[in-house]
Amino acid sequence: MKSIRNSSVRFFLFVVVAVITFAMISVEARKHHSNRNKPHKHLKDKGSSSHNAPDPATNIPGPAPAPLPYYGSYPTHSIIFDVLSFGAKGDGVSDDSKALLAAWKAACKVSGAVVEIPAEFKFLIKPITLQGPCMPHLVLQVDGILLAPPQVGAWPKSGLFQWLNFKWVHDFTIQGTGKLDGQGSAWWSPSGVYYIQKRSKHNPDMKVPTALRFYDSHNVTVRDIQIMNSPQCHLKFDSSSGIKVHNITINSPENSPNTDGIHLQNTKDVEIQHSNIGCGDDCVSIQTGCSNIHVHHINCGPGHGISLGGLGKDKSVACVSDIVVEKISLQNTLSGVRIKTWQGGVGSVNNVTFSSIEVSDVKYPVIIDQFYCDKKICKNQTDAVAISGVKYDRIIGSYSVQPLHLACSNDLPCTDVDLIDIQLKPSSNGFRGFRQALCWNSYGKSQAPLLPSSIDYCLRTESRSVKRIARSHTEHICPP
């Protein structure tokens, strides 16, 4: 009996010690993570007046609301893989690519892991592919600055398509208060163009790099970060689905060529919201193979606006459907909301809505251009991508060249186009454009208020023969 009592006492003491030890460890862990998880101030619009929405008139919808608040870091139970622990220097000069890749490979094997790019450090990263599949809920926490190679000649030939390439990642988030700086000015200069042309003689498929690209990736979230000065496109999604982009800032100079903000291709189920985008090309570009796309609460400018296309280049098939673009503010852009297709292409664009669009000093607020050409002369061709079911609802503000430009194919009309509550006035900044709207071979209906009044007479009334022609060009080409 005495031995039994001694065993019971020893077991009781062991349990008490274990509980006290576990409590002490938990307290220390919470202390460690409480410093990491304090909300950060979002890096938004520092010294950038180009993204400030114009003062709305009483009948103009308000500008896009301020970006969403930063949501904090990662859960306290996450295992952290700090790139400094994998040999990164963080001095902005040393090549830290191997350290980032090593941290990624280690984190990829752990569910809910975090690859951390710590604040107050700059990491020079050469073109790199961070590949999955990985364990779910992987996070790349960017609070420091990632730098691309600043000179064109420093990029390896194998890395000329993209800088940071994410491939086959699922249930993945990239977030933080930091920056991805593509340092692309060398690519935009005449010397950079000459260098590219010289190397392209040996590699005719050579491209200018995209800063951040996702390929064949699903359930991806990109939030809170800043992407700047990409050599070409800033953020690209290709053959992906389940994409959420919010509260990000993208900026590059107005004269930086082909620097699209966000580019979608063969991608579906996308929401892009509450972000500021200023660049040298389209703020958002939606290409072939895209469906179920929702873009809202975006400040765009400088840039070329929100675009579907160009579609159908080199007689290719283009299929785009179920697109909603709403609550957008555009300032000093080339276009507002536009659809552009090449002659000779086939396929269809249908079920598209542009609504609550505010424009200020935009050259062409509303465009359908089925004669798109990026050269001086393009050959006239009869085939065209069919455009139907496009609604423009509440497009309000000022234009500097032409209020509305609907130039549809000579052989295939645009059908089921709605123009509702379009109120566009000439810009007060030395207007020298056209006050009349242009509608060519476009059919649908309009609804007041409409300004200028020429919009009311722009669209033709559809007939059965017109609808039959449109259907005959789209059957069995794009999926229903």
Side-chain angles (χ1 to χ4, degrees), residues 256-325:
S256 57
N258 302 311
T259 52
D260 287 359
I262 301 175
H263 181 99
L264 306 175
Q265 183 169 329
N266 297 313
T267 293
K268 61 182 182 179
D269 305 329
V270 177
E271 183 179 27
I272 302 170
Q273 60 162 314
H274 289 88
S275 295
N276 294 320
I277 304 175
C279 55
D281 210 304
D282 297 327
C283 290
V284 179
S285 171
I286 301 171
Q287 300 293 328
T288 186
C290 289
S291 63
N292 193 24
I293 311 296
H294 188 194
V295 181
H296 61 98
H297 294 97
I298 302 295
N299 287 319
C300 170
H304 293 182
I306 311 294
S307 295
L308 276 61
L311 303 169
K313 186 176 182 179
D314 298 326
K315 300 183 178 182
S316 61
V317 176
C319 300
V320 175
S321 63
D322 304 321
I323 311 295
V324 175
V325 178

Side-chain angles (χ1 to χ4, degrees), residues 377-426:
I377 299 177
C378 288
K379 181 181 178 182
N380 286 329
Q381 300 180 63
T382 55
D383 283 335
V385 176
I387 296 177
S388 64
V390 181
K391 178 190 288 187
Y392 298 93
D393 184 3
R394 197 163 171 77
I395 317 294
I396 297 177
S398 62
Y399 65 94
S400 60
V401 175
Q402 189 173 38
L404 183 140
H405 183 98
L406 306 184
C408 298
S409 167
N410 293 327
D411 298 277
L412 183 59
C414 300
T415 59
D416 195 17
V417 176
D418 289 344
L419 299 175
I420 304 169
D421 190 4
I422 313 295
Q423 300 182 60
L424 298 169
K425 298 180 179 180

Side-chain angles (χ1 to χ4, degrees), residues 90-347:
D91 56 12
V93 178
S94 304
D95 182 3
D96 290 328
S97 308
K98 291 183 179 179
L100 174 57
L101 184 59
W104 174 270
K105 288 182 176 180
C108 185
K109 302 173 183 177
V110 180
S111 179
V114 175
V115 177
E116 185 174 36
I117 310 298
E120 301 181 4
F121 291 92
K122 296 181 179 181
F123 301 91
L124 178 63
I125 305 297
K126 291 186 177 180
I128 190 173
T129 294
L130 302 176
Q131 185 171 308
C134 295
M135 296 295 287
H137 311 305
L138 180 60
V139 174
L140 177 59
Q141 182 75 26
V142 182
D143 291 325
I145 298 176
L146 298 180
L147 298 172
Q151 302 300 326
V152 176
W155 289 67
K157 290 184 179 180
S158 60
L160 291 173
F161 287 92
Q162 55 270 322
W163 173 34
L164 304 176
N165 184 36
F166 291 86
K167 188 176 182 181
W168 304 329
V169 294
H170 297 190
D171 300 313
F172 171 71
T173 298
I174 176 170
Q175 64 181 23
T177 58
K179 299 178 182 179
L180 278 59
D181 189 347
Q183 301 198 97
S185 59
W187 294 87
W188 312 327
S189 66
S191 59
V193 173
Y194 172 77
Y195 182 86
I196 295 169
Q197 292 173 342
K198 185 177 179 181
R199 293 184 71 176
S200 295
K201 291 180 181 179
H202 307 287
N203 182 13
D205 296 324
M206 179 178 175
K207 304 290 185 181
V208 178
T210 289
L212 178 59
R213 180 199 184 219
F214 288 88
Y215 174 75
D216 196 7
S217 297
H218 308 279
N219 298 328
V220 172
T221 298
V222 180
R223 67 186 188 193
D224 307 318
I225 61 172
Q226 180 178 2
I227 310 173
M228 57 190 298
N229 297 327
S230 175
Q232 200 172 69
C233 178
H234 287 78
L235 175 59
K236 179 184 291 187
F237 295 94
D238 191 354
S239 304
S240 299
S241 66
I243 306 301
K244 294 184 180 297
V245 178
H246 53 91
N247 201 34
I248 72 169
T249 299
I250 292 175
N251 50 37
S252 63
E254 184 177 7
N255 60 354
S256 57
N258 302 311
T259 52
D260 287 359
I262 301 175
H263 181 99
L264 306 175
Q265 183 169 329
N266 297 313
T267 293
K268 61 182 182 179
D269 305 329
V270 177
E271 183 179 27
I272 302 170
Q273 60 162 314
H274 289 88
S275 295
N276 294 320
I277 304 175
C279 55
D281 210 304
D282 297 327
C283 290
V284 179
S285 171
I286 301 171
Q287 300 293 328
T288 186
C290 289
S291 63
N292 193 24
I293 311 296
H294 188 194
V295 181
H296 61 98
H297 294 97
I298 302 295
N299 287 319
C300 170
H304 293 182
I306 311 294
S307 295
L308 276 61
L311 303 169
K313 186 176 182 179
D314 298 326
K315 300 183 178 182
S316 61
V317 176
C319 300
V320 175
S321 63
D322 304 321
I323 311 295
V324 175
V325 178
E326 61 178 342
K327 299 179 177 65
I328 308 294
S329 178
L330 302 110
Q331 310 90 36
N332 299 299
T333 56
L334 173 65
S335 60
V337 288
R338 68 173 172 174
I339 301 172
K340 52 182 181 177
T341 72
W342 297 77
Q343 294 185 74
V346 294

Side-chain angles (χ1 to χ4, degrees), residues 32-86:
H32 174 71
H33 284 287
S34 65
N35 291 330
R36 294 178 178 269
N37 291 337
K38 289 180 181 178
H40 301 274
K41 292 182 179 179
H42 178 59
L43 300 174
K44 61 173 183 177
D45 296 342
K46 286 189 177 180
S48 175
S49 60
S50 62
H51 291 166
N52 293 332
D55 294 331
T58 55
N59 63 338
I60 295 179
L68 296 171
Y70 180 63
Y71 293 104
S73 296
Y74 29 82
T76 56
H77 61 271
S78 299
I79 299 177
I80 300 167
F81 296 82
D82 190 323
V83 292
L84 293 174
S85 301
F86 288 82

